[in-house]
Amino acid sequence: MRRVLSLLTALSALLLLTACHTAGDGPLPTGSSQVSSTPVLTQTAQPTPEPTPQFINPLTGLPCETDLSGQKPVAVMLNNLKQALPQQGNGQADILYEVLAEGGITRMLAVYQDPACIGPIGAVRSARLYYWQLALGHDAVYIHAGGSPEFYSVRRNQGAVTVDGVNGYYSSAAAGLFWRDRERVEGHYYDYEHSLLTSGEAISTVLTEDGILGPHREGFTYEMTFVADGTPAGGRDASVVTVPFSNYKTGVFRYDGGSGLYRVEEYGEPYLDGNDGAQVAVANLLILQTACTVVDSDGRLSVDLSSGEGWYACGGRLIPITWSKGRAQNQLHYYTGDGQPLPLQAGKSYVCIIPASREITVE
């Protein structure tokens, strides 16, 4: 009887050991045998799908964390003289407009939908009427440092408000919006006229508190369509696009297939953001040709922003386009050769406005 109980006890222990063992636990202890095995189902972790962005930046078509669609952007005049480089904050602009000023030089108008997280921006330079008209097309707050007599005359007659770092309240230290730093980029020392800065934080804080930066005017909507891939069908190869503004200034845009962006060069060197040293790169390159006419003895210009022809490059391809703006407060619209609205690729844009007499080179 005692032998029978011992055998039953040993058999029970063996069955218990077998039942607790699962595939993948390793072999059973030496001297034991696996009488039966039950398949063990394992669940493979599935990748978590990316959340669909709730909001879209209206200037780029890219996802963003907050709803910016009803918010005015800001448009800042940037000095583009060679001795004023590198600019700061230019690489973070949603749209960069480059237009002739006078004497063959150009300036940039940097448009930011949400400036709050941008660092220093500058050097800030003076206004011209047509740059302001570009800003008006975005219903943007226009930020500049001084301006031409024509600009001041039109602004006064319209009773309009702009943010001036040379004349008026915002030029004072008490306003807390502008300051000068002649060593604003490490390793550089700038002349006084190339030293005026603002910042995204100052713009957002000061101008919001003052009620200047806020909701769009009633009825305004930025009308632009963005697509995931804006490479134009039927276009020509455009690995390098050279854009001559004048005998003094030429821009070069080199397509980088790895990033799918055009990297910008000027004065024979990469066009850099002085805040981080990165080369400016954009998804969309738009070149608008128009009449640029000298209007005074200082060589200042009148630039026709009503309509014209031009070019669009994206994804290493280029097509001819037409464009129109009309009234000063209207936005720019772009059209394909058959007159259909031109969709842009989601991302940043660079808009070159050049004299109709200048011819681009495409390689």
Side-chain angles (χ1 to χ4, degrees):
M1 185 67 178
R2 186 176 298 169
R3 280 186 70 187
V4 172
L5 291 173
S6 296
L7 287 171
L8 289 173
T9 301
L11 181 59
S12 299
L14 179 59
L15 291 172
L16 180 63
L17 179 61
T18 303
C20 292
H21 186 80
T22 58
D25 286 339
L28 290 169
T30 303
S32 60
S33 61
Q34 189 166 340
V35 177
S36 65
S37 65
T38 302
V40 177
L41 298 178
T42 58
Q43 185 173 2
T44 303
Q46 297 297 318
T48 303
E50 291 290 330
T52 302
Q54 186 175 1
F55 304 113
I56 297 295
N57 182 328
L59 297 185
T60 64
L62 296 173
C64 57
E65 295 181 357
T66 57
D67 185 4
L68 303 172
S69 60
Q71 173 77 22
K72 287 186 176 186
V74 298
V76 186
M77 291 293 300
L78 296 180
N79 192 342
N80 197 43
L81 286 176
K82 187 174 183 180
Q83 56 268 39
L85 299 179
Q87 298 165 354
Q88 291 170 262
N90 49 322
Q92 294 174 275
D94 295 320
I95 304 174
L96 280 170
Y97 293 95
E98 184 175 7
V99 198
L100 284 168
E102 60 270 340
I105 69 172
T106 65
R107 287 184 184 146
M108 273 72 168
L109 182 71
V111 185
Y112 307 90
Q113 182 62 58
D114 183 13
C117 296
I118 299 170
I121 301 173
V124 184
R125 282 294 271 173
S126 60
R128 297 293 182 269
L129 182 61
Y130 43 92
Y131 290 106
W132 184 32
Q133 292 171 342
L134 290 170
L136 288 173
H138 292 283
D139 191 34
V141 175
Y142 186 47
I143 300 175
H144 58 100
S148 67
E150 180 189 29
F151 162 76
Y152 278 124
S153 175
V154 173
R155 190 187 71 169
R156 182 174 58 253
N157 291 338
Q158 293 183 0
V161 175
T162 65
V163 179
D164 192 338
V166 169
N167 298 299
Y169 167 70
Y170 287 109
S171 65
S172 68
L177 189 59
F178 295 97
W179 64 94
R180 291 194 181 271
D181 183 357
R182 299 182 71 171
E183 297 179 351
R184 57 185 177 81
V185 177
E186 186 176 358
H188 296 259
Y189 184 79
Y190 297 94
D191 291 341
Y192 183 81
E193 63 268 29
H194 308 320
S195 66
L196 188 66
L197 292 176
T198 184
S199 74
E201 181 181 5
I203 290 169
S204 181
T205 300
V206 173
L207 298 185
T208 300
E209 289 177 353
D210 292 353
I212 293 176
L213 183 59
H216 278 297
R217 68 175 185 262
E218 185 176 356
F220 178 86
T221 301
Y222 186 61
E223 300 170 350
M224 187 62 68
T225 300
F226 293 94
V227 294
D229 184 357
T231 305
R236 60 179 293 189
D237 289 337
S239 296
V240 182
V241 183
T242 303
V243 182
F245 290 85
S246 67
N247 294 335
Y248 173 78
K249 174 59 175 56
T250 297
V252 177
F253 300 82
R254 297 186 188 274
Y255 183 66
D256 175 15
S259 64
L261 303 176
Y262 278 96
R263 299 192 178 276
V264 189
E265 302 172 11
E266 62 175 9
Y267 303 114
E269 298 178 350
Y271 176 48
L272 304 179
D273 185 331
N275 285 341
D276 58 11
Q279 186 174 8
V280 175
V282 297
N284 304 291
L285 170 62
L286 296 127
I287 304 156
L288 315 184
Q289 296 178 293
T290 192
C292 301
T293 308
V294 177
V295 294
D296 64 22
S297 58
D298 292 325
R300 297 188 184 95
L301 300 175
S302 171
V303 175
D304 181 4
L305 294 179
S306 59
S307 63
E309 298 179 344
W311 303 90
Y312 171 63
C314 180
R317 309 285 291 178
L318 178 139
I319 58 170
I321 62 169
T322 60
W323 59 273
S324 67
K325 187 178 190 303
R327 298 175 56 216
Q329 291 192 330
N330 293 351
Q331 76 170 82
L332 280 165
H333 290 91
Y334 310 114
Y335 305 95
T336 58
D338 58 1
Q340 296 301 308
L342 173 73
L344 302 184
Q345 180 167 306
K348 298 175 180 178
S349 298
Y350 198 118
V351 184
C352 305
I353 300 178
I354 66 173
S357 58
R358 295 280 170 175
E359 296 184 2
I360 67 171
T361 302
V362 183
E363 303 173 35

